Amino acid sequence: MSIELQNVTYTYNAGTVFAKTAIDDVSLTISPGEFVGLIGHTGSGKSTLIQHLNALLTPTAGRVLLGGEDINADKSKLRAVRQRVGLVFQYPEHQLFEVSVYKEVAFGLKLMQTPHMEADSRIRDALSAVGLSEDYYEKSPFELSGGEMRRVAIAGVLAMNPSVLILDEPTAGLDPRGRDKILSQIKYMRELLGITVILVSHSMEDIAKLAERIIVMHNGKIALNGTVSEVFSQADKLAECNLTVPQSTILMKELAANGWDISTDVYTTSAARDTITAAVKGDEK
Ligand SMILES: Nc1ncnc2c1ncn2[C@@H]1O[C@H](COP(=O)(O)OP(=O)(O)OP(=O)(O)O)[C@@H](O)[C@H]1O
Ligand SMILES: [Mg+2]
């Protein structure tokens, strides 16, 4: 299901002395099945933007279209919009409250009065998609690790069968193992379900590993919008947005500057490893 923002502006506390325009005339189209990474310095408007995609915020000006329809035109369709566009907030584990993992994931389905058999199969599928086995079903969410709690929260959103999944900083505050687990689960879920994914992250490496397209926000506007290599090859423009290219790219540029005959079109550690290994082997011949 395509998503379109048409000239969207959002001002917090409009009409007061505290007015703050967080999104400024943004237009954007996301096609069905795309994996989009959304990056930008703190306060650039990422969270404000994504909350427009499931009508948690209504634009001060402009329109948000889902599958060609204005999502704010008919308030009676809000629930359907939120089912189609699932949003996982930053630190979603703070919103867990049920006594068991199973019940936590069941919560949204219960609200929708989903028949028991269907709900059960959706809960199982969602927990399996985030890599949590039956051993977890009866555990309290509060006895889990931070990364596991976050996967429970993601499963709760997945159980609603969304066509679009938005994750706001899903790896924030996790240790490296927790991070890798969440990232590989996101990749797996995307491949399994074929849904559109929008990933908000401060980590250039994470975005480079997963996204096909990158949108860079700066002061409420879109500063860059393109493929991973289109965006990460513009180091100067990224610097203007207070961002840097991934560490692996910096390393490759330094090697090239020191006389290595090496590609700098490298954005992840594994690509850096492969490129360096190939260059060293080439030299040995
Ligand atoms: N509830 C609010 N009331 C007033 N201003 C707000 C509110 N929420 C956000 N803002 C302001 O809007 C701007 C954009 O904030 P937003 O949270 O969308 O940025 P962000 O890119 O998600 O930042 P971060 O990376 O820190 O999460 C900031 O200047 C912020 O201070
Ligand atoms: Mg934010």
Side-chain angles (χ1 to χ4, degrees), residues 32-51:
E34 263 197 292
F35 196 133
V36 176
L38 186 60
I39 56 180
H41 60 83
T42 182
S44 57
K46 305 178 294 294
S47 296
T48 307
L49 188 145
I50 58 171
Q51 288 177 70

Side-chain angles (χ1 to χ4, degrees), residues 54-198:
N54 75 347
L56 275 180
L57 293 177
T58 311
T60 310
R63 297 198 309 162
V64 181
L65 309 181
L66 181 63
E69 269 187 54
D70 183 341
I71 62 173
N72 296 295
D74 180 355
K75 293 290 173 197
S76 71
K77 291 189 180 159
L78 270 188
R79 184 175 276 191
V81 166
R82 296 203 178 128
Q83 179 273 315
R84 270 185 234 135
V85 183
L87 176 57
V88 182
F89 286 97
Q90 194 167 348
Y91 297 106
E93 59 273 27
H94 295 166
Q95 287 162 27
L96 302 180
F97 62 93
E98 284 282 4
V99 293
S100 71
V101 165
Y102 186 94
K103 285 202 168 135
E104 191 65 59
V105 179
F107 180 75
L109 294 167
K110 215 163 81 187
L111 275 187
M112 295 208 313
Q113 297 176 331
T114 311
H116 178 77
M117 292 277 278
E118 191 192 335
D120 183 63
S121 94
R122 286 218 227 159
I123 294 162
R124 287 169 184 277
D125 288 349
L127 281 165
S128 144
V130 298
L132 295 174
S133 67
E134 277 189 30
D135 298 343
Y136 282 87
Y137 288 9
E138 292 314 315
K139 285 193 183 179
S140 157
F142 303 101
E143 54 181 284
L144 307 180
S145 72
E148 287 167 341
M149 282 165 106
R150 215 164 277 180
R151 277 148 63 197
V152 172
I154 296 172
V157 172
L158 275 186
M160 309 299 283
N161 278 352
S163 327
V164 181
L165 178 67
I166 307 171
L167 301 136
D168 197 350
E169 295 277 1
T171 59
L174 297 182
D175 63 21
R177 257 189 67 207
R179 283 180 87 87
D180 286 349
K181 189 84 194 164
I182 289 264
L183 291 175
S184 60
Q185 292 296 344
I186 292 172
K187 190 160 179 261
Y188 169 74
M189 267 164 10
R190 199 311 189 86
E191 281 158 12
L192 182 78
L193 307 169
I195 49 181
T196 309
V197 177
I198 302 170

